[in-house]
Amino acid sequence: MTKTITATEAVRKFSEILNSIKYTGDDYTIVRGGKPVASIRPAETHAKALTLGDLPALAKTLPSLGDETERFMKDLAEARKRQPHMPEKSKWA
Protein backbone atom coordinates (compact mmCIF):
# COMPACT_ATOMS: atom_id res chain seq x y z
CA MET A 1 0.00 0.00 0.00
CA THR A 2 1.44 3.38 -0.99
CA LYS A 3 1.14 6.21 1.50
CA THR A 4 1.83 9.86 0.76
CA ILE A 5 3.52 11.99 3.42
CA THR A 6 5.16 15.39 3.55
CA ALA A 7 8.93 15.77 3.90
CA THR A 8 8.41 17.28 7.35
CA GLU A 9 6.31 14.33 8.46
CA ALA A 10 8.94 11.93 7.06
CA VAL A 11 11.65 13.59 9.16
CA ARG A 12 9.57 13.54 12.33
CA LYS A 13 8.40 9.93 11.95
CA PHE A 14 11.34 8.33 10.16
CA SER A 15 11.79 5.42 12.59
CA GLU A 16 8.04 4.74 12.57
CA ILE A 17 8.04 4.80 8.75
CA LEU A 18 10.93 2.33 8.59
CA ASN A 19 9.08 -0.05 10.91
CA SER A 20 5.95 0.23 8.77
CA ILE A 21 7.99 -0.60 5.68
CA LYS A 22 9.80 -3.49 7.34
CA TYR A 23 6.84 -5.16 9.02
CA THR A 24 3.91 -4.39 6.71
CA GLY A 25 5.63 -3.76 3.37
CA ASP A 26 4.19 -0.26 2.96
CA ASP A 27 5.53 2.11 0.28
CA TYR A 28 5.81 5.85 0.91
CA THR A 29 5.84 8.78 -1.50
CA ILE A 30 7.38 11.89 0.04
CA VAL A 31 6.07 15.23 -1.19
CA ARG A 32 7.52 18.71 -0.83
CA GLY A 33 5.56 21.73 -1.93
CA GLY A 34 2.76 19.42 -3.03
CA LYS A 35 4.97 17.55 -5.53
CA PRO A 36 6.45 14.06 -5.19
CA VAL A 37 10.20 14.18 -4.60
CA ALA A 38 11.07 10.69 -3.35
CA SER A 39 9.80 7.18 -2.75
CA ILE A 40 10.76 4.78 -0.03
CA ARG A 41 9.82 1.09 -0.15
CA PRO A 42 11.02 -2.28 1.09
CA ALA A 43 14.47 -3.28 -0.12
CA GLU A 44 13.34 -6.87 -0.62
CA THR A 45 9.97 -8.48 -0.99
CA HIS A 46 8.44 -10.29 1.94
CA ALA A 47 7.74 -13.98 1.60
CA LYS A 48 4.11 -14.91 2.01
CA ALA A 49 3.41 -16.23 5.49
CA LEU A 50 2.62 -19.93 5.32
CA THR A 51 0.35 -22.01 7.52
CA LEU A 52 0.33 -25.72 8.29
CA GLY A 53 -2.46 -26.05 5.73
CA ASP A 54 0.04 -24.93 3.06
CA LEU A 55 2.47 -27.73 3.97
CA PRO A 56 1.11 -30.45 1.62
CA ALA A 57 1.35 -28.17 -1.42
CA LEU A 58 4.83 -27.03 -0.37
CA ALA A 59 5.98 -30.64 0.08
CA LYS A 60 4.95 -31.41 -3.52
CA THR A 61 7.37 -28.74 -4.78
CA LEU A 62 10.39 -30.27 -3.01
CA PRO A 63 12.83 -32.36 -5.02
CA SER A 64 12.67 -36.14 -4.75
CA LEU A 65 15.20 -37.90 -2.55
CA GLY A 66 15.62 -40.61 -5.15
CA ASP A 67 17.79 -43.47 -3.89
CA GLU A 68 18.01 -41.91 -0.43
CA THR A 69 14.24 -42.11 0.24
CA GLU A 70 14.27 -45.46 2.06
CA ARG A 71 17.21 -44.49 4.27
CA PHE A 72 15.58 -41.17 5.08
CA MET A 73 12.31 -42.87 6.07
CA LYS A 74 14.23 -45.22 8.39
CA ASP A 75 16.00 -42.24 9.98
CA LEU A 76 12.63 -40.53 10.55
CA ALA A 77 11.15 -43.65 12.12
CA GLU A 78 14.16 -43.98 14.41
CA ALA A 79 13.92 -40.31 15.43
CA ARG A 80 10.22 -40.73 16.26
CA LYS A 81 11.02 -43.67 18.54
CA ARG A 82 13.45 -41.52 20.54
CA GLN A 83 11.09 -38.59 21.03
CA PRO A 84 9.71 -38.15 24.55
CA HIS A 85 6.01 -38.81 24.93
CA MET A 86 3.75 -35.83 25.37
CA PRO A 87 1.66 -35.73 28.53
CA GLU A 88 -1.92 -36.83 27.97
CA LYS A 89 -3.31 -33.58 29.35
CA SER A 90 -1.48 -30.29 29.18
CA LYS A 91 -1.43 -28.23 32.35
CA TRP A 92 -1.57 -25.17 30.09
CA ALA A 93 -4.84 -26.10 28.41
Side-chain angles (χ1 to χ4, degrees):
M1 176 178 157
T2 301
K3 298 179 179 183
T4 302
I5 58 170
T6 65
T8 302
E9 187 178 7
V11 169
R12 289 182 182 153
K13 298 181 176 181
F14 191 66
S15 181
E16 192 176 312
I17 291 168
L18 289 179
N19 285 334
S20 173
I21 292 168
K22 180 177 180 178
Y23 296 112
T24 64
D26 288 339
D27 293 354
Y28 285 83
T29 298
I30 302 169
V31 296
R32 178 182 275 170
K35 296 181 181 179
V37 293
S39 295
I40 186 169
R41 63 184 46 89
E44 52 188 56
T45 58
H46 293 282
K48 176 187 170 253
L50 299 176
T51 65
L52 286 176
D54 298 322
L55 190 57
L58 178 64
K60 289 179 183 177
T61 67
L62 298 175
S64 171
L65 292 175
D67 297 338
E68 298 291 316
T69 302
E70 190 174 323
R71 193 169 119 209
F72 180 68
M73 294 303 288
K74 286 180 182 176
D75 289 345
L76 283 179
E78 195 60 37
R80 284 186 188 125
K81 288 179 189 174
R82 287 190 237 137
Q83 292 300 309
H85 293 288
M86 295 296 292
E88 295 218 7
K89 184 176 180 183
S90 172
K91 62 184 176 183
W92 302 104

